[in-house]
Amino acid sequence: MDSPMFLVENADGELHVVPGAIKYLMGLNQQVVVVAVVGLYRTGKSYLMNKLAGKRKDIDLGFALGATIQSKTKGIWMWCVPHPEKRHHTLVLLDTEGLGDVEKGDSKNDAWIFSLAILLSSTLVYNSRGTIDNQAVENLQYVSELTERIKVNSSSAASSSNDDEEGGDTQFVQFFPNFVWAVRDFTLLLEIDGRNVTEDEYLEHSLELRKGGGKKNLMYNLPRECIRNYFPSRKCFAFPTPTTPANMPHLDSMDEADLCESFRKVADTFCRFIFQESRTKTVKGGHKVTGRMLGHLVKTYVETIAKGSVPCLENAVLAMAQIENQAAVDEGQVVYQRGMEEVKALFPVDMGQISDHHLRSDHQATQAFMKRSFKDENGDFLKALAVAIAKHYADLLIQNEDASEKKCVALQEKLSAPMAQKIKEGIYATPGGYELYCSHHDNMVAQYRAEPDKGVRAEEILEQFLREKTLEKNSILQADKKLTENEKKIHEEQEKRALAEQAVKMEAEKQHQLEKLIQERERSHQEGICQLETKMVQEAKEKQHELERALDSKLREQENLMAKGFTEKEAAMKEEIQSLREKEEAKREEKEEQSRNFRAIAQGVMESVSNGLGHYFNYKKAREQRKALVFKEQVRFNLKSGAVGNIPDKEGMTLKQDKTATPKLETGAVGNSKDTTLPKVNTGTTSKSPGSEV
């Protein structure tokens, strides 16, 4: 992104998302580190963001800086730049409208801007000027209103669990961003009671609580307690004045070398800290956010606020999960289909080739799904992908079989054409014609077998072709006057054995295909289990890390309260810590339940694959039933007509076949005959679409 763009527009006190910015985020697939800056208007927030973006003075493309008392930023501006230190990450900078703008005069609107900055960021920078005194802390009043502006759980979830909205700060600390206080134009010495302190110690001193009751102390402690309880970590940077008052209006156009050296040093340290310590944006559950997911969050939160409702972390994540998981299914299908295009272009292929491509593409598709999906707790979307892949694979198996049939039938027609012509010419209708016919027939079969790349139905199509030619062959056999009746019977038996052997080869071909399907399904199942297990372990780790971060923050706060003698608040903190530890223990106990759920999902995926492949097996079954029906009709017609066929001799006379010698044919598939003299056998083996077949 070359320059900032409006993300959320604040028009007449109403917030609206900017479609162009959402579209940009939707196209951003990298994980994001989101840094938002908030603070009173005219305190130099935009300068810090330009500094983080690496904007130079000779490029007039940064966040707007104003030299007047009017606020330049209305709503929320966004600038996406490559992260300078995290590879394959995008740094998203959010510059928010100045709080307390007198021209706006709407504190409620300020509160929503502040809440959005917290909801969207992984690091929140609060920018103020002067010192961190009581006034500066009170200016951060919006932090004490967050329980009214943000919900962690939906109403149903809160009512069905121990995590009600009371004690929400315990939950806030799990999901809120890190907090950085940037104090601008700081002119005091960093000393407390004559002792030099660090900037962080200065911040902690400013956030110390007062002992004792009373309304005054309660009001004093409220914003401080919220900051301490809500944010998992706190950091402070004290910036000295960068230049003379006269040059301040031209700060953004000044050369870095002309700025105060101490200011440049703090600014560089600030940027380095943000780059190194700001974590990748996560949502409830610890899942890392991409630019696309951030776009969904912005849209959901702003639309919720516009409706007058309170944004809910859980609802936003669930809504985003539905969208992302469906998109993950779609992406997985695209990956699979793209992977199968290569083998599809080669149809017909043998079962090994299509199986290898399927397994590889299935693995890649599942990987793509796992990378994008989250919170698919019942595996519904994974099952949907498995069904889609299985159905597409079934269609490809059918297309491959049809391509094999088409090629094999065309090859048979080509190879049998010379023999058909010889039959018309009566070449075989002479004494000894049967031996000549068999020689040509065997040679034709040998040529057929020698032809490569016939596909998965080569033996089946050959078997039906040989059965079809049995009628023709037997007619020539019975018409051959050179052979005795005994010799004819011997040849008939030989023909039956040959047909039986070919039927065995055909069944072996089918069995091999079936075994391949079973093997690849099992292999795919095992690989899917490994991927699913890896995914679930990773999600469990993310949730555990989220909980540990909150627990660590509370333990530090408890230690601080103990040191300061806040026994009453320490007791309340102990309860919060105990609650977090109980959650941690509950997470461990959930492992057994997750294991059962894992097995159920794996079994469901296996069943989904079987259901998807059912389309293919139904197709094959319907094809076999249709062919058997056609064959029965052919046999019935031949028996009813009283003759099987006539073969012309060289003198133009015809030799009738002995119908009592008609070979017994088992119910099965037969092919098309191109012989125009013998009765035609139309079996309908022409390829049809999968839909019409079934």
Side-chain angles (χ1 to χ4, degrees):
M1 185 183 288
D2 296 328
S3 60
M5 63 192 306
F6 249 136
L7 176 63
V8 179
E9 185 178 12
N10 185 9
D12 299 324
E14 293 186 2
L15 303 178
H16 308 278
V17 295
V18 178
I22 298 298
K23 183 179 179 180
Y24 181 89
L25 286 174
M26 291 301 183
L28 188 59
N29 295 322
Q30 289 187 336
Q31 293 179 356
V32 292
V33 176
V34 187
V35 180
V37 60
V38 297
L40 298 179
Y41 82 111
R42 308 307 311 123
T43 54
K45 301 186 310 303
S46 298
Y47 175 85
L48 289 181
M49 303 308 272
N50 287 334
K51 181 72 175 174
L52 289 171
K55 179 185 175 295
R56 302 191 308 273
K57 70 179 184 65
D58 56 322
I59 301 179
D60 190 23
L61 291 172
F63 289 110
L65 275 76
T68 69
I69 60 171
Q70 288 184 306
S71 174
K72 286 292 183 181
T73 306
K74 299 294 183 182
I76 300 178
W77 285 79
M78 172 183 73
W79 198 354
C80 301
V81 297
H83 198 287
E85 298 196 14
K86 285 185 170 68
R87 291 185 61 193
H88 309 303
H89 281 67
T90 295
L91 178 62
V92 180
L93 303 171
L94 302 180
D95 187 14
T96 66
E97 176 177 339
L99 306 176
D101 187 350
V102 292
E103 293 183 0
K104 181 171 55 180
D106 187 354
S107 60
K108 184 177 180 181
N109 192 267
D110 283 346
W112 284 126
I113 293 286
F114 184 80
S115 299
L116 275 174
I118 288 176
L119 289 168
L120 299 176
S121 65
S122 48
T123 294
L124 180 74
V125 179
Y126 180 67
N127 194 72
S128 69
R129 180 167 286 168
T131 61
I132 306 179
D133 54 16
N134 189 49
Q135 184 60 47
V137 176
E138 287 184 354
N139 287 337
L140 196 52
Q141 59 180 310
Y142 312 102
V143 75
S144 60
E145 302 172 7
L146 289 176
T147 53
E148 301 172 11
R149 307 289 177 189
I150 298 174
K151 289 197 302 181
V152 174
N153 296 320
S154 64
S155 300
S156 58
S159 61
S160 61
S161 71
N162 294 326
D163 301 325
D164 53 22
E165 292 306 317
E166 294 180 12
D169 57 343
T170 306
Q171 295 176 279
F172 281 173
V173 75
Q174 296 180 57
F175 317 118
F176 271 27
N178 293 330
F179 182 82
V180 176
W181 195 318
V183 187
R184 307 293 295 278
D185 301 338
F186 185 76
T187 57
L188 302 179
L189 294 176
L190 284 172
E191 290 184 357
I192 298 175
D193 298 330
R195 178 177 60 88
N196 291 333
V197 295
T198 65
E199 293 157 304
D200 292 342
E201 289 173 331
Y202 171 62
L203 172 61
E204 293 306 308
H205 176 75
S206 302
L207 297 179
E208 283 185 0
L209 306 180
R210 285 181 179 174
K211 295 180 181 180
K215 183 177 180 180
K216 186 175 181 180
N217 281 349
L218 289 175
M219 295 301 294
Y220 178 90
N221 287 340
L222 180 59
R224 290 167 172 79
E225 283 187 289
C226 290
I227 294 172
R228 302 174 76 99
N229 290 333
Y230 293 173
F231 299 99
S233 71
R234 300 183 291 275
K235 184 72 178 175
C236 181
F237 291 92
F239 292 80
T241 304
T243 185
T244 62
N247 287 331
M248 285 298 291
H250 315 291
L251 180 63
D252 194 45
S253 61
M254 292 178 63
D255 193 289
E256 285 285 318
D258 294 333
L259 299 178
C260 173
E261 182 180 354
S262 58
F263 175 84
R264 296 201 311 267
K265 183 178 179 181
V266 175
D268 290 341
T269 304
F270 168 80
C271 290
R272 190 162 55 250
F273 174 84
I274 295 296
F275 296 151
Q276 294 176 356
E277 301 300 327
S278 292
R279 53 194 169 86
T280 303
K281 170 65 179 173
T282 59
V283 292
K284 190 173 185 283
H287 192 80
K288 294 181 179 178
V289 173
T290 63
R292 182 182 59 251
M293 295 166 69
L294 181 63
H296 288 308
L297 289 176
V298 174
K299 196 167 181 292
T300 299
Y301 289 142
V302 173
E303 288 177 353
T304 301
I305 292 170
K307 293 175 183 176
S309 301
V310 176
C312 173
L313 293 174
E314 184 176 45
N315 288 345
V317 171
L318 290 175
M320 182 173 63
Q322 291 290 315
I323 296 171
E324 281 296 296
N325 288 340
Q326 183 56 56
V329 172
D330 297 340
E331 184 176 332
Q333 291 185 65
V334 170
V335 170
Y336 179 80
Q337 292 171 13
R338 190 188 304 127
M340 296 299 286
E341 285 300 319
E342 179 184 348
V343 71
K344 185 179 178 181
L346 301 175
F347 283 176
V349 296
D350 61 38
M351 196 63 193
Q353 284 179 277
I354 193 171
S355 178
D356 289 344
H357 275 80
H358 164 68
L359 288 172
R360 182 166 60 251
S361 300
D362 180 55
H363 178 78
Q364 292 170 348
T366 307
Q367 270 189 326
F369 172 84
M370 293 295 185
K371 184 177 180 181
R372 184 164 184 173
S373 67
F374 72 105
K375 288 189 77 65
D376 184 21
E377 294 173 352
N378 296 321
D380 294 334
F381 290 95
L382 181 59
K383 294 172 192 173
L385 176 62
V387 168
I389 288 176
K391 285 184 176 180
H392 189 75
Y393 184 43
D395 286 338
L396 291 177
L397 289 173
I398 292 170
Q399 292 174 38
N400 187 46
E401 290 194 4
D402 288 346
S404 176
E405 177 182 356
K406 184 178 180 181
K407 183 171 183 177
C408 291
V409 169
L411 178 61
Q412 288 170 354
E413 291 174 352
K414 175 184 174 183
L415 295 176
S416 63
M419 291 185 66
Q421 184 61 34
K422 286 182 173 61
I423 290 175
K424 289 180 181 180
E425 295 171 357
I427 300 298
Y428 304 122
T430 59
Y434 181 72
E435 183 178 357
L436 180 62
Y437 177 88
C438 288
S439 175
H440 291 168
H441 180 274
D442 292 345
N443 183 56
M444 179 186 64
V445 172
Q447 290 182 60
Y448 175 86
R449 289 193 183 281
E451 183 73 19
D453 304 324
K454 295 187 293 295
V456 294
R457 294 189 65 198
E459 296 298 333
E460 181 184 354
I461 300 301
L462 178 58
E463 191 268 350
Q464 72 182 37
F465 176 77
L466 294 179
R467 285 189 175 278
E468 173 191 336
K469 290 301 178 182
T470 299
L471 301 174
E472 177 182 279
K473 197 172 186 179
N474 191 66
S475 296
I476 296 173
L477 173 63
Q478 300 303 325
D480 194 337
K481 297 178 180 179
K482 183 180 178 181
L483 299 173
T484 65
E485 289 301 317
N486 188 48
E487 288 175 327
K488 290 179 181 179
K489 289 182 179 180
I490 293 173
H491 283 297
E492 287 178 1
E493 291 300 321
Q494 289 175 343
E495 180 65 14
K496 289 180 181 179
R497 285 197 298 271
L499 285 174
E501 289 173 1
Q502 181 57 38
V504 170
K505 291 180 180 179
M506 177 189 70
E507 291 303 324
E509 181 182 62
K510 291 181 178 180
Q511 183 65 25
H512 172 70
Q513 294 172 26
L514 181 60
E515 288 174 354
K516 264 290 185 183
L517 284 173
I518 294 173
Q519 289 171 6
E520 70 187 23
R521 187 179 69 168
E522 180 60 27
R523 180 177 164 187
S524 177
H525 177 60
Q526 293 302 325
E527 288 185 356
I529 286 177
C530 290
Q531 289 177 308
L532 180 60
E533 188 172 20
T534 301
K535 175 77 171 178
M536 294 182 75
V537 168
Q538 179 60 33
E539 289 187 345
K541 283 183 178 178
E542 289 171 349
K543 290 180 181 178
Q544 185 65 24
H545 177 70
E546 184 181 79
L547 196 58
E548 288 174 351
R549 195 165 64 98
L551 184 58
D552 182 62
S553 173
K554 291 297 181 183
L555 287 171
R556 290 198 309 270
E557 189 62 23
Q558 182 192 36
E559 184 179 353
N560 184 274
L561 289 173
M562 288 175 62
K564 300 295 182 181
F566 288 91
T567 54
E568 209 174 284
K569 294 187 180 299
E570 181 197 346
M573 185 62 65
K574 279 183 178 179
E575 290 183 11
E576 293 181 5
I577 291 172
Q578 182 60 31
S579 175
L580 287 171
R581 282 180 169 155
E582 287 173 358
K583 284 185 183 180
E584 192 173 28
E585 185 62 31
K587 292 290 182 185
R588 295 191 184 99
E589 293 174 356
E590 282 177 10
K591 286 185 178 180
E592 186 176 343
E593 178 63 30
Q594 288 176 346
S595 177
R596 286 194 296 270
N597 190 37
F598 167 75
R599 290 192 294 271
I601 292 174
Q603 182 62 33
V605 171
M606 188 77 160
E607 292 172 357
S608 299
V609 171
S610 298
N611 292 337
L613 286 175
H615 171 53
Y616 169 66
F617 292 115
N618 290 337
Y619 164 81
K620 288 175 72 73
K621 182 179 179 181
R623 186 176 65 197
E624 294 297 326
Q625 290 173 341
R626 185 181 60 256
K627 288 193 298 184
L629 182 62
V630 170
F631 179 73
K632 287 180 181 179
E633 289 298 322
Q634 291 167 350
V635 173
R636 187 180 297 113
F637 171 79
N638 290 336
L639 293 175
K640 185 177 181 181
S641 66
V644 177
N646 301 316
I647 302 176
D649 62 12
K650 285 191 174 182
E651 287 74 29
M653 298 176 64
T654 60
L655 300 174
K656 285 193 175 183
Q657 176 184 341
D658 181 4
K659 62 185 179 182
T660 61
T662 302
K664 182 180 179 182
L665 299 181
E666 298 176 6
T667 300
V670 291
N672 291 321
S673 173
K674 293 296 181 181
D675 184 358
T676 58
T677 306
L678 294 172
K680 291 184 179 179
V681 181
N682 182 14
T683 62
T685 54
T686 305
S687 299
K688 296 182 180 180
S689 67
S692 61
E693 293 285 10
V694 177

